[in-house]
Amino acid sequence: MQKIDRLLAIEEIIGHERIASQEVLLKKLEERGIECTQATLSRDLRQLGVGRIPDGQGGYCYSLSGHQTRRQDFDVRMNIIPLVRDMIEARGLMLVKTIPGNANTVAYFIDSMQRYEIAGTIAGDDTILVVPRDGVTMHQIHDCLERILPGLHKHLE
Amino acid sequence: MQKIDRLLAIEEIIGHERIASQEVLLKKLEERGIECTQATLSRDLRQLGVGRIPDGQGGYCYSLSGHQTRRQDFDVRMNIIPLVRDMIEARGLMLVKTIPGNANTVAYFIDSMQRYEIAGTIAGDDTILVVPRDGVTMHQIHDCLERILPGLHKHLE
DNA sequence: AATAAAAAAGTATAAATTTGCAGTCAAAAT
DNA sequence: ATTTTGACTGCAAATTTATACTTTTTTATT
């Protein structure tokens, strides 16, 4: 079992349900057949940049930094997606083609999401090189970008 | 000493410096002549919706939910501010006038910031009634709105 | 393949945060 | 005026989270 799988599972879980503590998260992971200790979770959550915030109902829950459901994000993503023209896989990397002059804008946005899957990006004028972290599959990169920019793949169809 | 003063001080501090723990915050408050216990801070932070997130350098820091310096917010605020036409104080309340049909949009945004100073808002077609919480001065409400929408007052001049 | 070096994970413990409870105080009600 | 109610807070205990240290696993190198 790979660490990356656990990290993604954690993100998946936290993105979908209110998790109140690391103990609870531990149980949820067990349900998926992923076992580890609370100490490991503590380290994972730090690495993922997951914060613990008041849930507004007297309790607390964990929250992805990039995955906020704040209404504002919607508007911004609507502005970013049209800038993307194409996505090409090559040599284990991902090339994202944009409207000329806009690669930087899109790359900045991708970086700001601080996804674990992405080691880094380099932007030219109309092309972004997205370098996946070791052990991350292209499939996971696709999922990752779709999470960052919901509707991206549909836009490119 | 009023609770509201402490809450505002906390917000002020957290907005300006990296605070790593409630103990540290306690000290900072003392420097301003505000004394309380760590338990009280824990409760205050929950009430303010302050989250604890990894600071990206191996540690943690507290973070305002509404005060995020995320680039995205910028765009949204730029869209919201032009919708506001005027602000009028009356009977300890604040009336915010907007372009017709847009009161709801602006009110929704104000609500989403979850400011402690604001008990609630009611939006009609082009007017929002902002009801301050008891003990909150009109001056504090102005500060509050300026924080939510930086540049608002300048826009109205 | 054997060994060294690095990364990851477990254990136990320390540190930090949350909470139940009780006391205080001010405002509202009787 | 007295009682009631509710908000707020400190204290101490309970809970939760982070970390020092050790062991295991993985990766790279010879």
Side-chain angles (χ1 to χ4, degrees):
Chain A
M1 214 277 294
Q2 288 271 216
K3 180 180 175 183
I4 179 75
D5 296 321
R6 190 182 61 237
L7 291 178
L8 291 174
I10 289 172
E11 197 158 36
E12 167 92 6
I13 292 171
I14 288 178
H16 287 298
E17 21 188 338
R18 298 255 96 94
I19 300 297
S21 75
Q22 297 181 8
E23 292 296 336
V24 173
L25 181 53
L26 212 53
K27 297 246 174 62
K28 294 284 179 190
L29 284 169
E30 269 176 28
E31 289 172 15
R32 297 184 176 216
I34 297 177
E35 306 220 348
C36 65
T37 60
Q38 171 269 322
T40 296
L41 284 193
S42 175
R43 290 184 274 246
D44 287 350
L45 291 173
R46 164 149 72 200
Q47 179 160 15
L48 289 169
V50 170
R52 186 168 189 250
I53 63 175
D55 66 2
Q57 279 125 130
Y60 292 83
C61 73
Y62 287 94
S63 150
L64 283 326
S65 59
H67 187 276
Q68 308 214 352
T69 350
R70 309 244 316 271
R71 184 157 154 285
Q72 292 98 294
D73 289 350
F74 186 67
D75 304 328
V76 181
R77 285 173 174 147
M78 292 303 282
N79 294 334
I80 297 285
I81 291 179
L83 300 178
V84 179
R85 278 197 168 152
D86 199 5
M87 286 169 51
I88 305 125
E89 292 179 29
R91 297 175 171 273
L93 304 171
M94 176 70 78
L95 293 170
V96 178
K97 303 285 290 180
T98 71
I99 289 174
N102 286 94
N104 237 279
T105 303
V106 178
Y108 184 93
F109 183 75
I110 292 174
D111 286 343
S112 75
M113 291 295 114
Q114 298 181 251
R115 296 290 306 190
Y116 176 76
E117 298 97 316
I118 298 174
T121 66
I122 301 171
D125 179 69
D126 66 356
T127 305
I128 304 162
L129 173 63
V130 177
V131 184
R133 201 174 283 267
D134 285 338
V136 175
T137 66
M138 291 319 282
H139 182 75
Q140 287 170 330
I141 286 291
H142 270 104
D143 284 355
C144 169
L145 290 172
E146 180 67 25
R147 278 194 208 194
I148 293 178
L149 296 166
L152 175 62
H153 287 81
K154 170 143 283 185
H155 163 72
L156 294 178
E157 271 168 18
Chain B
M1 212 278 293
Q2 286 272 223
K3 178 181 177 184
I4 180 77
D5 297 320
R6 192 181 60 237
L7 291 178
L8 291 175
I10 291 172
E11 197 158 35
E12 168 92 5
I13 292 171
I14 288 179
H16 288 297
E17 18 188 342
R18 297 255 96 95
I19 302 296
S21 73
Q22 297 181 7
E23 291 297 336
V24 173
L25 182 53
L26 211 53
K27 297 245 173 61
K28 295 282 179 191
L29 285 169
E30 269 176 29
E31 289 172 16
R32 297 186 175 215
I34 297 177
E35 306 220 348
C36 65
T37 59
Q38 171 271 322
T40 296
L41 285 192
S42 174
R43 290 184 270 246
D44 286 350
L45 292 173
R46 163 150 73 200
Q47 180 160 15
L48 288 169
V50 171
R52 188 171 186 246
I53 63 175
D55 65 4
Q57 280 126 130
Y60 292 82
C61 73
Y62 287 93
S63 152
L64 282 326
S65 59
H67 188 274
Q68 308 214 351
T69 353
R70 309 244 319 275
R71 184 155 152 285
Q72 292 99 293
D73 289 349
F74 188 66
D75 303 328
V76 181
R77 285 172 173 146
M78 292 302 281
N79 295 334
I80 297 285
I81 291 180
L83 300 178
V84 178
R85 279 197 168 152
D86 199 5
M87 285 168 52
I88 306 125
E89 291 179 29
R91 298 174 169 272
L93 304 171
M94 178 69 79
L95 292 170
V96 178
K97 302 285 291 180
T98 71
I99 289 175
N102 286 93
N104 238 278
T105 304
V106 178
Y108 184 93
F109 183 74
I110 292 174
D111 286 343
S112 76
M113 291 296 114
Q114 296 183 251
R115 296 290 306 191
Y116 175 76
E117 298 97 318
I118 299 173
T121 67
I122 302 172
D125 179 67
D126 64 358
T127 305
I128 305 162
L129 173 63
V130 177
V131 184
R133 201 173 284 266
D134 286 338
V136 176
T137 66
M138 290 321 281
H139 182 77
Q140 288 170 330
I141 285 292
H142 270 105
D143 285 356
C144 169
L145 289 172
E146 180 67 25
R147 277 193 208 194
I148 293 178
L149 296 166
L152 176 62
H153 287 81
K154 170 144 282 186
H155 163 71
L156 293 179
E157 272 169 18

